Short mmCIF file of all heavy atoms in Angstrom, two decimals:
data_model
loop_
_atom_site.label_atom_id
_atom_site.label_comp_id
_atom_site.label_asym_id
_atom_site.label_seq_id
_atom_site.Cartn_x
_atom_site.Cartn_y
_atom_site.Cartn_z
N PRO A 29 -0.71 -0.56 19.79
CA PRO A 29 -1.61 -0.92 18.68
C PRO A 29 -1.26 -2.31 18.11
O PRO A 29 -0.14 -2.77 18.23
CB PRO A 29 -1.38 0.16 17.66
CG PRO A 29 -0.13 0.85 18.03
CD PRO A 29 0.11 0.57 19.47
N LYS A 30 -2.24 -2.92 17.48
CA LYS A 30 -2.03 -4.19 16.79
C LYS A 30 -1.57 -3.89 15.37
O LYS A 30 -1.96 -2.88 14.79
CB LYS A 30 -3.32 -4.99 16.80
CG LYS A 30 -3.76 -5.36 18.19
CD LYS A 30 -5.10 -6.03 18.18
CE LYS A 30 -5.49 -6.30 19.62
NZ LYS A 30 -6.90 -6.32 19.81
N THR A 31 -0.77 -4.80 14.81
CA THR A 31 -0.17 -4.56 13.50
C THR A 31 -0.17 -5.81 12.65
O THR A 31 0.08 -6.90 13.15
CB THR A 31 1.29 -4.09 13.66
OG1 THR A 31 1.31 -2.94 14.49
CG2 THR A 31 1.93 -3.76 12.34
N ILE A 32 -0.44 -5.62 11.36
CA ILE A 32 -0.22 -6.65 10.35
C ILE A 32 0.72 -6.04 9.33
O ILE A 32 0.49 -4.94 8.82
CB ILE A 32 -1.53 -7.06 9.64
CG1 ILE A 32 -2.48 -7.74 10.61
CG2 ILE A 32 -1.22 -8.00 8.47
CD1 ILE A 32 -3.82 -8.07 10.01
N LYS A 33 1.79 -6.77 9.01
CA LYS A 33 2.76 -6.31 8.02
C LYS A 33 2.79 -7.34 6.89
O LYS A 33 3.04 -8.51 7.12
CB LYS A 33 4.14 -6.17 8.65
CG LYS A 33 5.18 -5.62 7.72
CD LYS A 33 6.49 -5.41 8.47
CE LYS A 33 7.55 -4.79 7.62
NZ LYS A 33 8.81 -4.58 8.36
N ILE A 34 2.50 -6.87 5.68
CA ILE A 34 2.47 -7.73 4.50
C ILE A 34 3.54 -7.25 3.54
O ILE A 34 3.62 -6.06 3.24
CB ILE A 34 1.09 -7.68 3.82
CG1 ILE A 34 0.01 -8.11 4.82
CG2 ILE A 34 1.06 -8.53 2.57
CD1 ILE A 34 -1.39 -7.77 4.40
N GLY A 35 4.36 -8.17 3.05
CA GLY A 35 5.43 -7.80 2.13
C GLY A 35 5.41 -8.66 0.88
O GLY A 35 4.96 -9.80 0.90
N ASN A 36 5.88 -8.09 -0.22
CA ASN A 36 6.04 -8.86 -1.45
C ASN A 36 7.18 -8.27 -2.27
O ASN A 36 7.63 -7.16 -2.02
CB ASN A 36 4.74 -8.93 -2.26
CG ASN A 36 4.31 -7.62 -2.84
OD1 ASN A 36 5.13 -6.82 -3.27
ND2 ASN A 36 3.02 -7.37 -2.86
N THR A 37 7.64 -9.04 -3.24
CA THR A 37 8.76 -8.58 -4.04
C THR A 37 8.33 -7.66 -5.17
O THR A 37 9.02 -6.72 -5.48
CB THR A 37 9.54 -9.78 -4.61
OG1 THR A 37 8.64 -10.66 -5.27
CG2 THR A 37 10.25 -10.52 -3.51
N GLY A 38 7.22 -7.90 -5.82
CA GLY A 38 6.70 -7.00 -6.85
C GLY A 38 7.75 -6.42 -7.77
O GLY A 38 8.78 -7.03 -8.03
N LYS A 39 7.51 -5.21 -8.26
CA LYS A 39 8.48 -4.52 -9.12
C LYS A 39 9.67 -4.10 -8.28
O LYS A 39 9.56 -3.85 -7.09
CB LYS A 39 7.84 -3.29 -9.76
CG LYS A 39 6.81 -3.65 -10.79
CD LYS A 39 6.45 -2.43 -11.61
CE LYS A 39 5.55 -2.86 -12.73
NZ LYS A 39 5.84 -2.23 -13.97
N ALA A 40 10.81 -3.97 -8.93
CA ALA A 40 12.07 -3.70 -8.24
C ALA A 40 12.25 -2.25 -7.80
O ALA A 40 13.27 -1.92 -7.23
CB ALA A 40 13.24 -4.13 -9.12
N ASP A 41 11.29 -1.40 -8.04
CA ASP A 41 11.39 0.00 -7.66
C ASP A 41 10.31 0.36 -6.65
O ASP A 41 9.21 -0.19 -6.69
CB ASP A 41 11.24 0.91 -8.88
CG ASP A 41 12.36 0.71 -9.88
OD1 ASP A 41 13.53 0.59 -9.45
OD2 ASP A 41 12.06 0.66 -11.09
N PRO A 42 10.59 1.30 -5.74
CA PRO A 42 9.56 1.71 -4.79
C PRO A 42 8.40 2.41 -5.49
O PRO A 42 8.58 3.04 -6.54
CB PRO A 42 10.28 2.67 -3.85
CG PRO A 42 11.53 3.06 -4.54
CD PRO A 42 11.85 2.00 -5.54
N LEU A 43 7.23 2.28 -4.91
CA LEU A 43 6.05 2.98 -5.41
C LEU A 43 6.05 4.40 -4.86
O LEU A 43 6.73 4.69 -3.87
CB LEU A 43 4.78 2.26 -4.94
CG LEU A 43 4.66 0.80 -5.37
CD1 LEU A 43 3.44 0.15 -4.71
CD2 LEU A 43 4.57 0.68 -6.88
N ASP A 44 5.32 5.28 -5.48
CA ASP A 44 5.21 6.66 -5.02
C ASP A 44 4.34 6.69 -3.76
O ASP A 44 3.14 6.44 -3.84
CB ASP A 44 4.60 7.51 -6.12
CG ASP A 44 4.55 8.98 -5.78
OD1 ASP A 44 4.47 9.34 -4.59
OD2 ASP A 44 4.59 9.79 -6.73
N ARG A 45 4.94 6.97 -2.62
CA ARG A 45 4.22 6.93 -1.34
C ARG A 45 3.06 7.91 -1.28
O ARG A 45 2.10 7.70 -0.55
CB ARG A 45 5.18 7.20 -0.19
CG ARG A 45 6.19 6.07 -0.01
CD ARG A 45 7.08 6.31 1.13
NE ARG A 45 6.24 6.20 2.34
CZ ARG A 45 6.70 6.32 3.55
NH1 ARG A 45 7.96 6.57 3.76
NH2 ARG A 45 5.91 6.20 4.59
N LYS A 46 3.14 9.00 -2.04
CA LYS A 46 2.05 9.99 -2.04
C LYS A 46 0.87 9.54 -2.89
O LYS A 46 -0.24 10.02 -2.71
CB LYS A 46 2.56 11.33 -2.55
CG LYS A 46 3.55 11.99 -1.61
CD LYS A 46 4.02 13.31 -2.15
CE LYS A 46 5.02 13.94 -1.20
NZ LYS A 46 5.52 15.21 -1.72
N LYS A 47 1.10 8.61 -3.83
CA LYS A 47 0.06 8.20 -4.76
C LYS A 47 -0.39 6.74 -4.59
O LYS A 47 -1.40 6.35 -5.15
CB LYS A 47 0.55 8.36 -6.19
CG LYS A 47 0.83 9.78 -6.59
CD LYS A 47 1.32 9.83 -8.01
CE LYS A 47 1.68 11.24 -8.44
NZ LYS A 47 2.22 11.24 -9.81
N VAL A 48 0.35 5.94 -3.84
CA VAL A 48 0.13 4.49 -3.82
C VAL A 48 -1.30 4.09 -3.46
O VAL A 48 -1.82 3.10 -3.98
CB VAL A 48 1.16 3.79 -2.90
CG1 VAL A 48 0.92 4.10 -1.44
CG2 VAL A 48 1.15 2.29 -3.13
N PHE A 49 -1.99 4.87 -2.64
CA PHE A 49 -3.37 4.54 -2.25
C PHE A 49 -4.40 5.36 -3.03
O PHE A 49 -5.59 5.32 -2.71
CB PHE A 49 -3.57 4.74 -0.75
CG PHE A 49 -2.69 3.82 0.08
CD1 PHE A 49 -1.61 4.32 0.78
CD2 PHE A 49 -2.95 2.46 0.13
CE1 PHE A 49 -0.80 3.48 1.53
CE2 PHE A 49 -2.15 1.61 0.87
CZ PHE A 49 -1.07 2.11 1.57
N SER A 50 -3.97 6.06 -4.07
CA SER A 50 -4.88 6.86 -4.89
C SER A 50 -5.54 5.98 -5.95
O SER A 50 -4.93 5.05 -6.47
CB SER A 50 -4.12 7.97 -5.61
OG SER A 50 -3.53 8.83 -4.68
N ARG A 51 -6.79 6.30 -6.28
CA ARG A 51 -7.48 5.57 -7.33
C ARG A 51 -6.74 5.72 -8.65
O ARG A 51 -6.26 6.79 -8.99
CB ARG A 51 -8.90 6.10 -7.51
CG ARG A 51 -9.80 5.72 -6.40
CD ARG A 51 -11.20 6.19 -6.72
NE ARG A 51 -12.02 6.00 -5.53
CZ ARG A 51 -13.27 6.36 -5.45
NH1 ARG A 51 -13.84 6.97 -6.47
NH2 ARG A 51 -13.94 6.15 -4.36
N PHE A 52 -6.68 4.63 -9.37
CA PHE A 52 -6.11 4.56 -10.71
C PHE A 52 -4.61 4.80 -10.78
O PHE A 52 -4.06 4.96 -11.86
CB PHE A 52 -6.85 5.49 -11.68
CG PHE A 52 -8.34 5.32 -11.64
CD1 PHE A 52 -9.16 6.35 -11.22
CD2 PHE A 52 -8.92 4.12 -11.99
CE1 PHE A 52 -10.54 6.18 -11.17
CE2 PHE A 52 -10.30 3.94 -11.94
CZ PHE A 52 -11.11 4.98 -11.53
N TYR A 53 -3.92 4.79 -9.63
CA TYR A 53 -2.45 4.91 -9.66
C TYR A 53 -1.87 3.62 -10.19
O TYR A 53 -2.12 2.54 -9.67
CB TYR A 53 -1.91 5.19 -8.25
CG TYR A 53 -0.39 5.09 -8.17
CD1 TYR A 53 0.41 6.00 -8.84
CD2 TYR A 53 0.22 4.08 -7.44
CE1 TYR A 53 1.79 5.91 -8.78
CE2 TYR A 53 1.60 3.99 -7.37
CZ TYR A 53 2.38 4.90 -8.04
OH TYR A 53 3.75 4.80 -7.99
N LYS A 54 -1.11 3.72 -11.27
CA LYS A 54 -0.48 2.56 -11.87
C LYS A 54 0.97 2.93 -12.18
O LYS A 54 1.23 3.73 -13.08
CB LYS A 54 -1.19 2.16 -13.16
CG LYS A 54 -2.63 1.74 -12.94
CD LYS A 54 -3.25 1.08 -14.15
CE LYS A 54 -3.54 2.02 -15.27
NZ LYS A 54 -4.25 1.38 -16.37
N PRO A 55 1.91 2.36 -11.43
CA PRO A 55 3.31 2.66 -11.71
C PRO A 55 3.78 1.96 -12.97
O PRO A 55 3.69 0.74 -13.09
CB PRO A 55 4.03 2.13 -10.48
CG PRO A 55 3.14 1.06 -9.95
CD PRO A 55 1.75 1.47 -10.31
N GLY A 56 4.23 2.71 -13.95
CA GLY A 56 4.75 2.12 -15.18
C GLY A 56 3.67 1.46 -16.03
O GLY A 56 2.49 1.72 -15.91
N GLU A 57 4.12 0.58 -16.90
CA GLU A 57 3.23 -0.14 -17.81
C GLU A 57 2.60 -1.32 -17.07
O GLU A 57 3.30 -2.21 -16.60
CB GLU A 57 4.02 -0.66 -19.01
CG GLU A 57 4.65 0.43 -19.85
CD GLU A 57 3.63 1.18 -20.66
OE1 GLU A 57 2.70 0.54 -21.18
OE2 GLU A 57 3.76 2.41 -20.78
N THR A 58 1.29 -1.33 -16.96
CA THR A 58 0.59 -2.44 -16.31
C THR A 58 -0.83 -2.53 -16.84
O THR A 58 -1.39 -1.53 -17.29
CB THR A 58 0.58 -2.28 -14.77
OG1 THR A 58 -0.09 -3.40 -14.21
CG2 THR A 58 -0.09 -1.02 -14.32
N SER A 59 -1.40 -3.71 -16.76
CA SER A 59 -2.78 -3.90 -17.20
C SER A 59 -3.76 -3.80 -16.03
O SER A 59 -4.96 -3.92 -16.21
CB SER A 59 -2.93 -5.27 -17.88
OG SER A 59 -2.64 -6.29 -16.96
N HIS A 60 -3.25 -3.57 -14.82
CA HIS A 60 -4.11 -3.48 -13.64
C HIS A 60 -4.91 -2.19 -13.66
O HIS A 60 -4.52 -1.21 -14.29
CB HIS A 60 -3.27 -3.55 -12.37
CG HIS A 60 -2.48 -4.81 -12.27
ND1 HIS A 60 -1.40 -4.93 -11.45
CD2 HIS A 60 -2.60 -6.00 -12.88
CE1 HIS A 60 -0.91 -6.14 -11.56
NE2 HIS A 60 -1.61 -6.80 -12.43
N THR A 61 -6.03 -2.19 -12.93
CA THR A 61 -6.91 -1.02 -12.92
C THR A 61 -6.46 0.07 -11.96
O THR A 61 -6.86 1.22 -12.09
CB THR A 61 -8.34 -1.42 -12.52
OG1 THR A 61 -8.31 -1.97 -11.20
CG2 THR A 61 -8.93 -2.42 -13.49
N GLY A 62 -5.64 -0.28 -10.98
CA GLY A 62 -5.19 0.72 -10.01
C GLY A 62 -6.24 1.02 -8.96
O GLY A 62 -6.22 2.09 -8.36
N LEU A 63 -7.15 0.09 -8.70
CA LEU A 63 -8.21 0.32 -7.71
C LEU A 63 -7.98 -0.43 -6.39
O LEU A 63 -8.48 -0.01 -5.36
CB LEU A 63 -9.56 -0.10 -8.28
CG LEU A 63 -10.11 0.79 -9.37
CD1 LEU A 63 -11.38 0.18 -9.96
CD2 LEU A 63 -10.41 2.17 -8.83
N GLY A 64 -7.26 -1.52 -6.41
CA GLY A 64 -7.14 -2.39 -5.24
C GLY A 64 -6.68 -1.70 -3.97
O GLY A 64 -7.32 -1.80 -2.92
N LEU A 65 -5.57 -0.97 -4.03
CA LEU A 65 -5.04 -0.32 -2.82
C LEU A 65 -5.90 0.85 -2.38
O LEU A 65 -5.98 1.13 -1.18
CB LEU A 65 -3.59 0.12 -3.04
CG LEU A 65 -2.60 -1.04 -3.14
CD1 LEU A 65 -1.22 -0.52 -3.50
CD2 LEU A 65 -2.55 -1.85 -1.86
N SER A 66 -6.59 1.50 -3.31
CA SER A 66 -7.50 2.59 -2.89
C SER A 66 -8.71 2.01 -2.15
O SER A 66 -9.20 2.61 -1.20
CB SER A 66 -7.94 3.44 -4.08
OG SER A 66 -8.74 2.71 -4.96
N ILE A 67 -9.15 0.82 -2.55
CA ILE A 67 -10.25 0.16 -1.84
C ILE A 67 -9.79 -0.25 -0.44
O ILE A 67 -10.51 -0.04 0.54
CB ILE A 67 -10.77 -1.05 -2.64
CG1 ILE A 67 -11.46 -0.55 -3.92
CG2 ILE A 67 -11.72 -1.90 -1.79
CD1 ILE A 67 -11.78 -1.64 -4.92
N ILE A 68 -8.61 -0.82 -0.34
CA ILE A 68 -8.05 -1.20 0.96
C ILE A 68 -7.95 0.02 1.87
O ILE A 68 -8.29 -0.04 3.05
CB ILE A 68 -6.67 -1.87 0.81
CG1 ILE A 68 -6.78 -3.16 0.01
CG2 ILE A 68 -6.00 -2.09 2.16
CD1 ILE A 68 -7.59 -4.25 0.67
N LYS A 69 -7.51 1.14 1.33
CA LYS A 69 -7.39 2.38 2.11
C LYS A 69 -8.75 2.80 2.65
O LYS A 69 -8.88 3.19 3.82
CB LYS A 69 -6.79 3.49 1.25
CG LYS A 69 -6.70 4.84 1.90
CD LYS A 69 -5.69 4.86 3.00
CE LYS A 69 -5.55 6.29 3.53
NZ LYS A 69 -4.72 6.33 4.71
N GLU A 70 -9.80 2.73 1.83
CA GLU A 70 -11.15 3.09 2.26
C GLU A 70 -11.66 2.16 3.36
O GLU A 70 -12.27 2.59 4.33
CB GLU A 70 -12.12 3.10 1.08
CG GLU A 70 -11.96 4.29 0.17
CD GLU A 70 -12.23 5.60 0.89
OE1 GLU A 70 -13.24 5.71 1.63
OE2 GLU A 70 -11.43 6.53 0.71
N VAL A 71 -11.41 0.85 3.20
CA VAL A 71 -11.81 -0.12 4.23
C VAL A 71 -11.11 0.21 5.54
O VAL A 71 -11.74 0.19 6.61
CB VAL A 71 -11.50 -1.56 3.79
CG1 VAL A 71 -11.66 -2.55 4.93
CG2 VAL A 71 -12.38 -1.96 2.62
N CYS A 72 -9.84 0.54 5.49
CA CYS A 72 -9.11 0.91 6.70
C CYS A 72 -9.67 2.18 7.32
O CYS A 72 -9.83 2.26 8.55
CB CYS A 72 -7.63 1.06 6.39
SG CYS A 72 -6.79 -0.51 6.13
N THR A 73 -9.98 3.16 6.52
CA THR A 73 -10.53 4.41 7.03
C THR A 73 -11.86 4.18 7.74
O THR A 73 -12.06 4.64 8.87
CB THR A 73 -10.72 5.42 5.88
OG1 THR A 73 -9.44 5.69 5.29
CG2 THR A 73 -11.32 6.71 6.38
N VAL A 74 -12.75 3.42 7.12
CA VAL A 74 -14.06 3.13 7.71
C VAL A 74 -13.91 2.28 8.97
O VAL A 74 -14.70 2.40 9.90
CB VAL A 74 -14.96 2.42 6.67
CG1 VAL A 74 -16.21 1.86 7.29
CG2 VAL A 74 -15.30 3.37 5.54
N SER A 75 -12.89 1.45 9.02
CA SER A 75 -12.67 0.54 10.15
C SER A 75 -11.76 1.12 11.23
O SER A 75 -11.34 0.40 12.14
CB SER A 75 -12.07 -0.76 9.64
OG SER A 75 -12.90 -1.35 8.68
N ALA A 76 -11.44 2.40 11.14
CA ALA A 76 -10.56 3.08 12.09
C ALA A 76 -9.18 2.44 12.18
O ALA A 76 -8.59 2.31 13.24
CB ALA A 76 -11.21 3.15 13.47
N CYS A 77 -8.65 2.03 11.02
CA CYS A 77 -7.29 1.50 10.93
C CYS A 77 -6.43 2.49 10.15
O CYS A 77 -6.94 3.33 9.43
CB CYS A 77 -7.28 0.18 10.15
SG CYS A 77 -8.24 -1.13 10.85
N ASN A 78 -5.14 2.34 10.28
CA ASN A 78 -4.20 3.10 9.47
C ASN A 78 -3.45 2.12 8.59
O ASN A 78 -3.09 1.03 9.04
CB ASN A 78 -3.19 3.84 10.35
CG ASN A 78 -3.83 4.96 11.12
OD1 ASN A 78 -4.64 5.71 10.59
ND2 ASN A 78 -3.49 5.06 12.39
N ILE A 79 -3.18 2.51 7.35
CA ILE A 79 -2.37 1.70 6.46
C ILE A 79 -1.25 2.56 5.91
O ILE A 79 -1.46 3.73 5.57
CB ILE A 79 -3.19 1.05 5.32
CG1 ILE A 79 -2.30 0.09 4.53
CG2 ILE A 79 -3.85 2.08 4.46
CD1 ILE A 79 -3.05 -0.86 3.63
N ASN A 80 -0.06 1.99 5.88
CA ASN A 80 1.12 2.69 5.37
C ASN A 80 1.89 1.77 4.44
O ASN A 80 1.75 0.55 4.50
CB ASN A 80 2.02 3.14 6.53
CG ASN A 80 1.37 4.19 7.37
OD1 ASN A 80 1.09 5.27 6.89
ND2 ASN A 80 1.10 3.87 8.61
N TYR A 81 2.72 2.39 3.62
CA TYR A 81 3.55 1.66 2.66
C TYR A 81 4.99 2.07 2.84
O TYR A 81 5.29 3.23 3.11
CB TYR A 81 3.10 1.99 1.23
CG TYR A 81 4.13 1.61 0.19
CD1 TYR A 81 4.24 0.30 -0.24
CD2 TYR A 81 5.00 2.56 -0.33
CE1 TYR A 81 5.20 -0.06 -1.18
CE2 TYR A 81 5.96 2.21 -1.28
CZ TYR A 81 6.05 0.89 -1.70
OH TYR A 81 7.00 0.54 -2.61
N HIS A 82 5.90 1.11 2.73
CA HIS A 82 7.32 1.44 2.58
C HIS A 82 8.03 0.36 1.81
O HIS A 82 7.55 -0.76 1.68
CB HIS A 82 7.99 1.77 3.92
CG HIS A 82 8.37 0.59 4.74
ND1 HIS A 82 7.52 0.01 5.64
CD2 HIS A 82 9.53 -0.10 4.81
CE1 HIS A 82 8.14 -1.00 6.23
NE2 HIS A 82 9.35 -1.10 5.74
N TYR A 83 9.18 0.72 1.26
CA TYR A 83 9.99 -0.15 0.41
C TYR A 83 11.33 -0.34 1.10
O TYR A 83 11.95 0.63 1.52
CB TYR A 83 10.17 0.50 -0.96
CG TYR A 83 10.90 -0.32 -1.96
CD1 TYR A 83 10.26 -1.34 -2.64
CD2 TYR A 83 12.24 -0.07 -2.25
CE1 TYR A 83 10.93 -2.10 -3.60
CE2 TYR A 83 12.91 -0.82 -3.19
CZ TYR A 83 12.26 -1.84 -3.86
OH TYR A 83 12.92 -2.58 -4.80
N GLU A 84 11.74 -1.59 1.22
CA GLU A 84 12.98 -1.87 1.95
C GLU A 84 13.63 -3.13 1.38
O GLU A 84 12.99 -4.17 1.26
CB GLU A 84 12.61 -2.09 3.42
CG GLU A 84 13.74 -2.42 4.33
CD GLU A 84 13.22 -2.64 5.74
OE1 GLU A 84 12.41 -1.83 6.22
OE2 GLU A 84 13.63 -3.64 6.35
N GLU A 85 14.88 -3.02 0.99
CA GLU A 85 15.68 -4.14 0.51
C GLU A 85 14.97 -4.95 -0.58
O GLU A 85 14.91 -6.17 -0.54
CB GLU A 85 16.07 -5.05 1.67
CG GLU A 85 16.95 -4.36 2.69
CD GLU A 85 17.32 -5.25 3.86
OE1 GLU A 85 17.04 -6.46 3.82
OE2 GLU A 85 17.90 -4.72 4.81
N GLY A 86 14.41 -4.25 -1.55
CA GLY A 86 13.77 -4.91 -2.68
C GLY A 86 12.38 -5.45 -2.42
O GLY A 86 11.84 -6.18 -3.25
N LYS A 87 11.79 -5.11 -1.30
CA LYS A 87 10.44 -5.59 -0.98
C LYS A 87 9.50 -4.43 -0.67
O LYS A 87 9.91 -3.44 -0.07
CB LYS A 87 10.47 -6.54 0.22
CG LYS A 87 11.13 -7.85 -0.07
CD LYS A 87 10.99 -8.78 1.11
CE LYS A 87 11.68 -10.10 0.80
NZ LYS A 87 11.64 -11.00 1.94
N HIS A 88 8.25 -4.60 -1.07
CA HIS A 88 7.19 -3.64 -0.77
C HIS A 88 6.48 -4.12 0.49
O HIS A 88 6.13 -5.29 0.60
CB HIS A 88 6.18 -3.59 -1.92
CG HIS A 88 6.80 -3.24 -3.23
ND1 HIS A 88 6.98 -1.94 -3.64
CD2 HIS A 88 7.30 -4.03 -4.22
CE1 HIS A 88 7.55 -1.94 -4.83
NE2 HIS A 88 7.75 -3.19 -5.21
N PHE A 89 6.26 -3.21 1.43
CA PHE A 89 5.58 -3.56 2.67
C PHE A 89 4.36 -2.67 2.87
O PHE A 89 4.43 -1.45 2.68
CB PHE A 89 6.51 -3.40 3.88
CG PHE A 89 7.60 -4.42 3.92
CD1 PHE A 89 8.86 -4.11 3.43
CD2 PHE A 89 7.38 -5.68 4.43
CE1 PHE A 89 9.88 -5.05 3.46
CE2 PHE A 89 8.38 -6.63 4.47
CZ PHE A 89 9.64 -6.31 3.98
N PHE A 90 3.26 -3.30 3.29
CA PHE A 90 2.05 -2.60 3.66
C PHE A 90 1.78 -2.94 5.11
O PHE A 90 1.71 -4.11 5.48
CB PHE A 90 0.88 -3.02 2.76
CG PHE A 90 1.11 -2.65 1.33
CD1 PHE A 90 1.74 -3.52 0.46
CD2 PHE A 90 0.74 -1.39 0.87
CE1 PHE A 90 1.97 -3.17 -0.86
CE2 PHE A 90 0.98 -1.03 -0.45
CZ PHE A 90 1.59 -1.92 -1.31
N ILE A 91 1.64 -1.93 5.94
CA ILE A 91 1.47 -2.12 7.38
C ILE A 91 0.11 -1.55 7.78
O ILE A 91 -0.18 -0.38 7.53
CB ILE A 91 2.58 -1.42 8.19
CG1 ILE A 91 3.95 -1.99 7.78
CG2 ILE A 91 2.38 -1.60 9.68
CD1 ILE A 91 4.67 -1.15 6.80
N VAL A 92 -0.73 -2.40 8.37
CA VAL A 92 -2.04 -1.99 8.87
C VAL A 92 -1.97 -1.98 10.38
O VAL A 92 -1.51 -2.94 11.00
CB VAL A 92 -3.15 -2.96 8.41
CG1 VAL A 92 -4.50 -2.52 8.94
CG2 VAL A 92 -3.18 -3.05 6.89
N GLU A 93 -2.39 -0.87 11.00
CA GLU A 93 -2.38 -0.72 12.45
C GLU A 93 -3.76 -0.33 12.95
O GLU A 93 -4.46 0.43 12.30
CB GLU A 93 -1.38 0.36 12.88
CG GLU A 93 0.04 0.03 12.53
CD GLU A 93 0.99 1.14 12.95
OE1 GLU A 93 0.63 2.33 12.76
OE2 GLU A 93 2.06 0.81 13.44
N TRP A 94 -4.14 -0.87 14.12
CA TRP A 94 -5.39 -0.54 14.76
C TRP A 94 -5.26 -0.73 16.26
O TRP A 94 -4.33 -1.37 16.73
CB TRP A 94 -6.54 -1.35 14.17
CG TRP A 94 -6.50 -2.81 14.52
CD1 TRP A 94 -7.18 -3.42 15.53
CD2 TRP A 94 -5.73 -3.84 13.89
NE1 TRP A 94 -6.89 -4.76 15.56
CE2 TRP A 94 -6.00 -5.05 14.56
CE3 TRP A 94 -4.84 -3.86 12.83
CZ2 TRP A 94 -5.41 -6.26 14.21
CZ3 TRP A 94 -4.26 -5.06 12.48
CH2 TRP A 94 -4.54 -6.23 13.15
N GLU A 95 -6.20 -0.18 17.00
CA GLU A 95 -6.20 -0.32 18.47
C GLU A 95 -6.88 -1.59 18.88
O GLU A 95 -7.77 -2.08 18.30
CB GLU A 95 -6.90 0.88 19.11
CG GLU A 95 -6.14 2.16 18.94
CD GLU A 95 -4.80 2.18 19.64
OE1 GLU A 95 -4.69 1.64 20.76
OE2 GLU A 95 -3.87 2.75 19.06
#
């Protein structure tokens, strides 16, 4: 499969892997709407891609895979 891996430093704690792509999920105090990653998840679903999240060495990673 083809892969894109995107990483950023963001907050110093890992996000909840079970909720990260859920609508309105906002870890802690934030002014964000919590819609962005749920929209990305829907785009991936419609496009037959998979998206995953993991936290490693102080960085958040989002990995998109497709055939």
Side-chain angles (χ1 to χ4, degrees):
K30 297 174 183 152
T31 304
I32 294 175
K33 184 175 183 179
I34 301 165
N36 68 37
T37 52
K39 291 193 173 221
D41 296 318
L43 302 173
D44 185 331
R45 292 182 69 178
K46 292 180 180 178
K47 296 179 182 177
V48 70
F49 297 109
S50 299
R51 288 184 189 177
F52 309 116
Y53 170 67
K54 298 192 288 185
E57 298 287 321
T58 182
S59 62
H60 301 161
T61 61
L63 289 173
L65 290 174
S66 67
I67 292 169
I68 297 295
K69 176 69 174 172
E70 285 298 314
V71 169
C72 286
T73 299
V74 169
S75 302
C77 299
N78 291 316
I79 186 165
N80 294 297
Y81 163 80
H82 80 271
Y83 184 79
E84 179 181 314
E85 297 179 9
K87 291 186 181 177
H88 303 273
F89 290 98
F90 297 90
I91 300 98
V92 180
E93 297 179 319
W94 70 97
E95 292 295 322

